[in-house]
Amino acid sequence: MHRLCWKLGIIPRQSTNLAPIESNETEERDWSSLPPEVLNLIAKKISEISDFVRFRTVCTSWRSSTPISDLPPQFPWILEDYRHPYQPDLSFYSIPSNKIYNINAPRHLDKWLFRPLEGYMHARLFYPSNQDVFDPFNHQLSLLNPLNKHEIPLPVYDFFGGLHYWIGPRQNEISQYVVCDGHARYHNPRLIFWHLGQDKWCESNLDSDLANCKYFYLKHMLFNVESDTGVTKVVDIATGTLVYVIPPIEGYSEEATQYLVEASGDILRVIRHHEWFSDRLFDGQFDVYQLDVHKTGSPCWVKVTSIGDHAIFIDSYGTLILRSNDFSMIERNSIYFYWIKNMGIHEQPSYMVKRMDIETGALEHLPCPLRKPGYWFVPKLHHI
């Protein structure tokens, strides 16, 4: 224990120049009697969730002094893309510890886990209409924390054909849950809302001219990016009124992937460029723009090379933005993303994880032994 405290910076290492004090008696220390404030200070220095769990299992006093809500912010894990509902385990990879965690989440033959959300995963439970046939039009949705097995049931809703698009929020505001009905997406757009504690969904219809858009839910407003033009229309969901119409960025390309995120009150637009060459996909650099609602009296996108102490994590689902000051080992002003290597017609794609410095464009390769990284997942132990 003394060695652990020294590594964590709680106890200074003694100078090697001092001669040891000889004693005929073996000094015994009762580590369970450490004051709660000292235990709490040590726990806050633990950057790996597995070490935090082991720390709490030492004895009753250590466990009572460090509730699971005190888990220090964790560097996001990489969750292997989950496609098969009968797969027994979920595989997570921790970059800081270079460990793979295989976690068995509670489910049976009718439950399918997918897409993380604030330490939870979406869980879809299909109800069979008879013993052999599943009914895709009626299913129960829930949020499940695979680490502590805590599950939050969501109200039943008839998503036509099981099609729906989760548009937010992904983090920090799980109390309001927003979904776009997939069947109505290109005809009569419809949003479905759920607030934590409610027993039913609330619906809101959008104007038909907002069809064929990519939707983002930020700051209690709906940002609609038109696929063909790049124009962004911002709608206040509470009133249904159009707040802004933002022109596209210069050189907008429909082929580029668009992401919108919120960082300390600012709205950022991240453009991921793709280049096709010889049937292989190469992921190019990212461009970052900030929404300026004051410039020239009308809102516009302004290209930036710094997002301060924030870092953006991009995966196949969307984005996750974190502050480097709150998480150990996260580099500020960076974009963490997956990169597809050698994806040809007759080749199996291989995946890599990289970090791009937004200011310089420099790339750093990060380890990832998973066969197919799918999502960034921030592990949490407490219930929401």
Side-chain angles (χ1 to χ4, degrees):
M1 181 61 204
H2 188 280
R3 183 185 299 271
L4 172 62
C5 294
W6 169 70
K7 285 185 176 181
L8 295 174
I10 306 301
I11 300 176
R13 188 177 184 180
Q14 293 181 351
S15 173
T16 55
N17 296 327
L18 297 178
I21 299 177
E22 296 183 1
S23 175
N24 295 326
E25 298 182 1
T26 303
E27 182 180 1
E28 294 185 0
R29 297 180 176 88
D30 182 9
W31 294 107
S32 63
S33 63
L34 285 175
E37 58 270 18
V38 174
L39 292 171
N40 193 260
L41 180 61
I42 297 174
K44 291 183 182 299
K45 297 284 187 177
I46 301 176
S47 59
E48 182 64 25
I49 189 172
S50 58
D51 294 333
F52 182 84
V53 172
R54 294 188 185 98
F55 181 89
R56 297 186 71 248
T57 59
V58 170
C59 63
T60 302
S61 63
W62 287 31
R63 183 166 55 254
S64 60
S65 300
T66 55
I68 56 178
S69 58
D70 288 345
L71 173 69
Q74 300 291 300
F75 191 100
W77 287 354
I78 301 175
L79 169 60
E80 189 168 47
D81 197 12
Y82 175 77
R83 295 294 183 184
H84 201 290
Y86 306 145
Q87 181 176 327
D89 295 321
L90 298 174
S91 294
F92 299 88
Y93 175 67
S94 170
I95 293 178
S97 65
N98 192 27
K99 294 180 181 179
I100 293 179
Y101 298 98
N102 293 315
I103 297 176
N104 186 270
R107 57 177 173 267
H108 48 74
L109 296 181
D110 299 340
K111 184 172 289 187
W112 185 14
L113 300 182
F114 60 105
R115 291 177 181 167
L117 174 69
E118 187 62 7
Y120 283 70
M121 293 188 66
H122 299 86
R124 178 190 298 168
L125 175 62
F126 289 96
Y127 288 102
S129 56
N130 56 51
Q131 186 175 358
D132 301 318
V133 180
F134 290 97
D135 181 5
F137 299 97
N138 185 17
H139 52 264
Q140 173 68 56
L141 300 174
S142 62
L143 299 175
L144 173 69
N145 186 330
L147 303 187
N148 60 16
K149 311 303 188 286
H150 181 248
E151 192 165 9
I152 303 173
L154 302 180
V156 175
Y157 187 85
D158 182 11
F159 295 100
F160 184 85
L163 298 177
H164 42 274
Y165 299 87
W166 314 96
I167 62 175
R170 183 171 181 187
Q171 61 175 355
N172 301 332
E173 201 178 353
I174 201 173
S175 59
Q176 185 173 13
Y177 199 69
V178 185
V179 178
C180 177
D181 190 329
H183 176 64
R185 186 181 185 189
Y186 298 105
H187 303 285
N188 297 309
R190 180 175 51 181
L191 295 178
I192 301 96
F193 299 87
W194 171 76
H195 295 266
L196 191 64
Q198 291 185 343
D199 59 357
K200 65 179 182 179
W201 294 90
C202 298
E203 296 184 11
S204 176
N205 293 322
L206 300 175
D207 294 337
S208 58
D209 62 351
L210 296 180
N212 195 27
C213 290
K214 187 170 184 180
Y215 305 111
F216 300 90
Y217 178 72
L218 303 166
K219 300 181 70 172
H220 301 285
M221 293 187 291
L222 188 67
F223 288 73
N224 312 273
V225 181
E226 295 181 349
S227 301
D228 52 348
T229 66
V231 172
T232 304
K233 297 181 179 179
V234 185
V235 177
D236 186 329
I237 294 182
T239 62
T241 58
L242 184 65
V243 180
Y244 302 122
V245 177
I246 310 171
I249 62 174
E250 184 178 354
Y252 170 78
S253 171
E254 190 174 352
E255 301 297 327
T257 305
Q258 311 283 321
Y259 306 95
L260 263 66
V261 296
E262 179 185 352
S264 299
D266 294 324
I267 302 298
L268 303 176
R269 183 172 183 174
V270 182
I271 310 296
R272 184 175 190 173
H273 302 284
H274 302 287
E275 297 179 2
W276 290 90
F277 178 75
S278 300
D279 296 326
R280 297 173 184 267
L281 175 63
F282 294 87
D283 290 82
Q285 298 291 300
F286 293 82
D287 288 326
V288 181
Y289 297 80
Q290 182 176 327
L291 178 60
D292 189 340
V293 297
H294 305 293
K295 189 175 182 179
T296 67
S298 59
C300 63
W301 297 106
V302 179
K303 190 173 182 179
V304 296
T305 58
S306 175
I307 57 173
D309 65 346
H310 291 89
I312 302 174
F313 293 77
I314 293 179
D315 58 31
S316 56
Y317 168 41
T319 57
L320 184 69
I321 187 162
L322 303 171
R323 293 175 61 94
S324 60
N325 293 342
D326 299 332
F327 294 78
S328 62
M329 296 187 64
I330 291 182
E331 297 290 340
R332 66 186 302 275
N333 199 36
S334 298
I335 297 178
Y336 293 80
F337 64 101
Y338 305 142
W339 183 70
I340 305 176
K341 180 181 180 182
N342 297 336
M343 194 181 76
I345 297 177
H346 303 293
E347 294 180 277
Q348 290 292 330
S350 59
Y351 295 81
M352 302 176 66
V353 178
K354 294 187 177 183
R355 181 187 70 85
M356 189 195 87
D357 185 285
I358 296 177
E359 183 176 5
T360 64
L363 293 175
E364 176 188 6
H365 295 255
L366 301 176
C368 181
L370 298 180
R371 292 175 299 177
K372 189 176 183 181
Y375 309 100
W376 293 104
F377 178 85
V378 179
K380 294 187 176 182
L381 296 175
H382 63 279
H383 300 171
I384 57 174

